[in-house]
Amino acid sequence: MTSETLYEHPLNEQVRVYLRLEHLLRQISHASSLSESYYSNVFLKSLFDLIEILEQIQIKTELAKDLDKQRVKLQAWLNVPEVDKDQLVTLLTESRQLQRDLLQAPRLGQEIRENRFLSSIRQRFSIPGGTCSFDLPALHHWHNLPIAHRQSDALAWQLSLKPLSHALSFWLRLTRGSATMQPFTIHTGFFQKEVIGASLLRIQISPDYNVFPLVSGHKSRFSIRFMPFDDRQTIADTMVLYLSVC
């Protein structure tokens, strides 16, 4: 199944925010080498987008609550015969530590907001082409500092996000691992299913079908309609997909 394309779709607003944060944190991490000015701009734009989300939503409180809920589910497995209790205890201990680090951390992203250089350039990143050297000479100067200096800055700016990154990564890892991929044969590009308390869909399908999924749903029901990438193409009568409902 390594050739399949993986799609993920949230079934509630909280998971939607988590996936966006994960996406931005990955971009920040991948671009943090700052080997070219392009990567520097991707790094900074992703950083500012993430801060925008943190300013709008109380992520720390919500994620701490979700870690609590996850631990309740893990603790229930301790009474299941033949379960790997050592592994469960390790996960429970890690969850408590990550939650503690998250709650004890200062306001997420506060150091980034208070940084004079970052605050002076942030607004221009929302303007098309607004990062030209004549718009942001301070940014142009920073781009031309030694790479070791810029990488040191990038590392310091990411440091305040570590409690969020680690806790979020843990929650998503356990959520994704809570269900296994199952094969389904679908007809005329449509599939629907009723579920109980679901939060995330993971869909794998071969790119050979040349389609992409449009998902509609919530925690108790969802439907998937596959659309042709090429308007001149027709949907295959039958297709095989792999699906996990987390």
Side-chain angles (χ1 to χ4, degrees):
M1 288 178 17
T2 55
S3 61
E4 272 80 3
T5 302
L6 173 65
Y7 301 88
E8 291 190 324
H9 188 86
L11 294 175
N12 60 58
E13 187 59 31
Q14 197 63 33
V15 177
R16 186 182 305 276
V17 172
Y18 289 167
L19 292 178
R20 285 175 176 161
L21 287 172
E22 180 191 46
H23 173 70
L24 291 170
L25 286 165
R26 282 178 175 173
Q27 287 191 163
I28 290 168
S29 176
H30 292 165
S32 61
S33 66
L34 309 180
S35 55
E36 298 179 16
S37 61
Y38 166 78
Y39 293 116
S40 297
N41 283 344
V42 171
F43 173 87
L44 291 168
K45 180 64 166 63
S46 300
L47 193 68
F48 295 147
D49 285 350
L50 187 142
I51 293 301
E52 186 77 19
I53 294 176
L54 296 181
E55 289 176 344
Q56 296 174 3
I57 303 172
Q58 296 297 321
I59 293 296
K60 182 188 290 191
T61 302
E62 295 303 318
L63 183 53
K65 289 179 182 178
D66 284 337
L67 288 170
D68 271 334
K69 294 175 185 177
Q70 207 171 54
R71 277 203 304 277
V72 171
K73 295 178 182 179
L74 288 173
Q75 287 168 343
W77 280 94
L78 288 172
N79 300 319
V80 177
E82 299 183 6
V83 74
D84 188 341
K85 293 185 177 180
D86 290 339
Q87 179 65 22
L88 279 175
V89 170
T90 298
L91 290 173
L92 288 166
T93 301
E94 184 178 0
S95 176
R96 292 189 187 95
Q97 184 61 54
L98 290 170
Q99 184 189 52
R100 190 178 302 115
D101 293 344
L102 180 66
L103 291 174
Q104 291 178 352
R107 186 184 177 192
L108 295 174
Q110 187 61 28
E111 293 182 15
I112 298 171
R113 295 184 192 89
E114 293 177 349
N115 182 277
R116 185 175 63 85
F117 167 65
L118 294 178
S119 62
S120 71
I121 67 173
R122 178 179 172 184
Q123 293 304 317
R124 281 286 176 178
F125 272 76
S126 62
I127 300 173
T131 58
C132 291
S133 61
F134 62 84
D135 279 312
L136 288 177
L139 176 62
H140 189 62
H141 170 76
W142 185 77
H143 279 160
N144 286 277
L145 291 174
I147 190 169
H149 182 118
R150 288 183 283 119
Q151 288 176 337
S152 176
D153 286 344
L155 183 63
W157 297 334
Q158 292 178 83
L159 194 60
S160 65
L161 300 173
K162 290 298 183 185
L164 168 65
S165 179
H166 292 162
L168 180 62
S169 177
F170 178 85
W171 188 89
L172 286 169
R173 174 163 58 90
L174 291 194
T175 297
R176 288 171 173 135
S178 66
T180 57
M181 287 285 181
Q182 300 292 329
F184 292 90
T185 299
I186 65 172
H187 303 279
T188 63
F190 183 76
F191 180 81
Q192 63 180 355
K193 186 177 177 64
E194 292 188 0
V195 292
I196 299 176
S199 60
L200 176 67
L201 293 182
R202 308 188 80 218
I203 305 161
Q204 282 185 328
I205 190 164
S206 172
D208 293 339
Y209 292 122
N210 202 29
V211 297
F212 59 90
L214 295 181
V215 181
S216 174
H218 48 77
K219 63 182 180 181
S220 60
R221 176 182 292 182
F222 67 87
S223 64
I224 308 171
R225 182 170 295 281
F226 286 89
M227 305 298 293
F229 184 73
D230 187 337
D231 292 340
R232 298 166 295 179
Q233 172 193 339
T234 58
I235 296 290
D237 290 337
T238 62
M239 296 187 294
V240 176
L241 63 83
Y242 292 85
L243 177 71
S244 66
V245 183
C246 308

